[in-house]
Amino acid sequence: MKCKPSTFSLHSLSTLSLSLSLSLSLSLSLAMAVQAWETLKEEIVTYTGLSPATFFTVLALFLAVYYVVSGLFGSPDDHHRRHRSVEDEEEMPPLRPPVQLGEITAEELKAYDGSDLEKPLLMAIKGQIYDVSQSRMFYGPGGPYALFAGKDASRALAKMSFEEKDLTGDISGLGPFELDALQDWEYKFMSKYVKVGTVKSEVPVTEPESTSEPSESTSRDIDAAKPTEDAKSEHVAVKSDETPSNVEADKE
């Protein structure tokens, strides 16, 4: 009668096989590393005439000197870049708390385009003005969106246009996708920047149309003129009675 190997024996055999495989792999890797190290030492002695210890000591000293010298002097570009960054920090005034402006005209808004560092950097979307001074690198002079500053650029933002004709708050005729894009921009500004005012809408003033009914003052003028007209008519009637025949009869 044959006996079947137990599950424990099979598991032990598989574990032993895996351990042997790992040990063999590590042994091969270690052997290859030792062989590579021996080859490297031979190459160092052959090409430099120095022992491996001396070679690596000289290499470490060389790298240390290089990093020290480069840290002290550096390249001209790095020095210029650090110098410019210090100048920019000195020129850029600290951010001031937003100031509420209330309602201003589009012409007055142009004064806040970032050219004057004493004034905040403002931008409007759909008539709402936001203080974007904290993002001067984007909306300030030289930034990628500098042409939007000091303006209501709703149409340009909706169309992602950089044309001068689109730098306006007029959003008439825009499609649904453009209006959705503009809405996304508005949500972004509402969540990131402080609203400081609104752009005064420029509505053309139209003169009231004249009506056929006379005004109260006109009626009073007409009534006041009526007695004069009646007096004139009576005077004309008296003159008409004084005909030549009546005059001759009086003479007789």
Side-chain angles (χ1 to χ4, degrees), residues 213-243:
E213 297 180 358
S215 62
E216 185 178 353
S217 59
T218 307
S219 301
R220 286 199 299 267
D221 295 341
I222 294 174
D223 293 338
K226 280 184 178 180
T228 306
E229 293 177 354
D230 293 340
K232 287 182 178 180
S233 60
E234 291 177 359
H235 183 68
V236 171
V238 171
K239 283 187 175 182
S240 62
D241 292 339
E242 296 179 356
T243 57

Side-chain angles (χ1 to χ4, degrees), residues 108-124:
E108 292 172 335
L109 180 60
K110 292 180 180 179
Y112 300 91
D113 60 353
S115 56
D116 187 353
L117 296 178
E118 296 298 324
K119 295 181 179 180
L121 181 61
L122 304 182
M123 179 179 167

Side-chain angles (χ1 to χ4, degrees), residues 158 174-182 184:
L174 295 178
F177 294 104
E178 294 170 334
L179 292 175
D180 289 342
L182 179 59
D184 292 340

Side-chain angles (χ1 to χ4, degrees), residues 18 36 41 63 66 109 137 155 182 200 242:
L18 181 59
K41 289 194 296 183
L63 292 175
Y66 171 77
L109 180 60
M137 66 176 61
R155 192 175 191 87
L182 179 59
K200 185 176 182 180
E242 296 179 356

